[in-house]
Amino acid sequence: HTLGITRVRLLPKPRSVRAIANLSHQRRRSVPGACSAMYAGQLPSPNQILRPLLDILTFELGKAENLSRLGCSVMGFDDIYDQLRAYIRRTRSCTSAEYHLVSLDLDQCFDRVKPDRVYSIVEDILTHGHYLVRKHHTVGPNGTSKAVKQVCPAAEMSQSWPVGAYGVGHDRSIIVGDATAKVASRTDLLSLLKVHLFDHIVQISSRGERYLHQSEGIPQGSVLST
């Protein structure tokens, strides 16, 4: 299907191993009518195909009306710092106790996530018919290159991105290379997510002798499993 078949890699644990779907592996594109040893380049990995969906979900979850859907979850280390800093500021004036950080590993976290619940939440989050994802690179004064992504509903493209919008937030930087833009429909995004959640096939043997269908949980190696 769209995302192909996923290989599994095993990570050692103190008393067992952890099976992680390798969704970053690029598949070979076979040459029709040729022997199996011949192939014409590589197909995008599942994570590359899912990346626009991640960008769009990140855009939607950044809206104030959707923040409550995250619960205690955050989008990255910067958000962890912001919440921790706000918490310390709120409590410092009323307590002299020390602060402690506790690191926990939830047992079978990804295996216990309900795919139908995830799909239902994403259905509610994607409220626009089409989205535009635009990418470009900038180079700053110190010569470092930075990849920049911008997402907006396709219907708001002209208002959200005027001609000078490329330079917004990138003072003293220049745009290099070609900018790329892709329009993704809500229907296609949900169809892709449905395949990912409900039709995930993994290859156990390196010789392709055994295939399994994931019926519970979500793929741990997916860019969407964050």
Side-chain angles (χ1 to χ4, degrees):
H1 51 64
T2 309
L3 298 176
I5 296 173
T6 304
R7 294 182 180 179
V8 172
R9 59 191 178 99
L10 301 177
L11 295 182
K13 299 176 65 175
R15 298 182 180 179
S16 62
V17 294
R18 174 180 297 169
I20 297 182
N22 185 7
L23 282 92
S24 297
H25 177 74
Q26 290 184 307
R27 298 163 289 155
R28 291 184 175 184
R29 179 187 285 111
S30 301
V31 178
C35 65
S36 59
M38 296 184 62
Y39 67 96
Q42 292 180 319
L43 295 169
S45 70
N47 275 343
Q48 289 174 325
I49 298 174
L50 292 167
R51 179 65 65 174
L53 176 56
L54 174 63
D55 295 334
I56 292 168
L57 286 175
T58 302
F59 162 75
E60 287 288 8
L61 289 171
K63 297 179 179 178
E65 60 267 27
N66 286 328
L67 290 178
S68 61
R69 298 180 183 273
L70 291 174
C72 295
S73 300
V74 293
M75 300 299 291
F77 288 109
D78 290 342
D79 290 346
I80 294 176
Y81 171 77
D82 290 339
Q83 291 200 15
L84 179 61
R85 183 181 181 188
Y87 172 77
I88 292 176
R89 283 182 170 179
R90 289 196 309 268
T91 59
R92 180 178 292 170
S93 60
C94 58
T95 180
S96 59
E98 296 181 349
Y99 295 95
H100 300 272
L101 297 178
V102 179
S103 176
L104 299 175
D105 184 13
L106 300 180
D107 184 39
Q108 296 181 333
C109 176
F110 293 94
D111 296 335
R112 300 187 183 197
V113 175
K114 297 180 179 179
D116 53 345
R117 178 60 177 155
V118 173
Y119 184 82
S120 175
I121 293 174
V122 175
E123 266 191 314
D124 293 339
I125 292 176
L126 299 180
T127 56
H128 298 278
H130 293 80
Y131 294 86
L132 181 65
V133 181
R134 190 168 69 176
K135 303 176 183 179
H136 64 274
H137 286 79
T138 64
V139 174
N142 57 356
T144 58
S145 176
K146 180 180 180 181
V148 181
K149 296 180 182 178
Q150 296 169 304
V151 179
C152 82
E156 302 174 8
M157 179 182 65
S158 58
Q159 294 84 4
S160 301
W161 288 340
V163 175
Y166 277 110
V168 174
H170 306 293
D171 296 340
R172 302 181 64 194
S173 299
I174 60 173
I175 308 297
V176 297
D178 296 327
T180 61
K182 180 179 181 180
V183 176
S185 71
R186 179 179 184 273
T187 301
D188 290 343
L189 292 171
L190 289 176
S191 177
L192 181 63
L193 180 64
K194 183 177 291 186
V195 170
H196 184 51
L197 292 177
F198 302 107
D199 295 323
H200 183 220
I201 306 297
V202 296
Q203 176 183 337
I204 300 299
S205 172
S206 60
R207 298 180 180 179
E209 299 170 351
R210 189 179 183 189
Y211 300 93
L212 298 178
H213 173 237
Q214 182 171 357
S215 58
E216 297 181 2
I218 57 176
Q220 186 171 350
S222 168
V223 292
L224 299 182
S225 300
T226 58

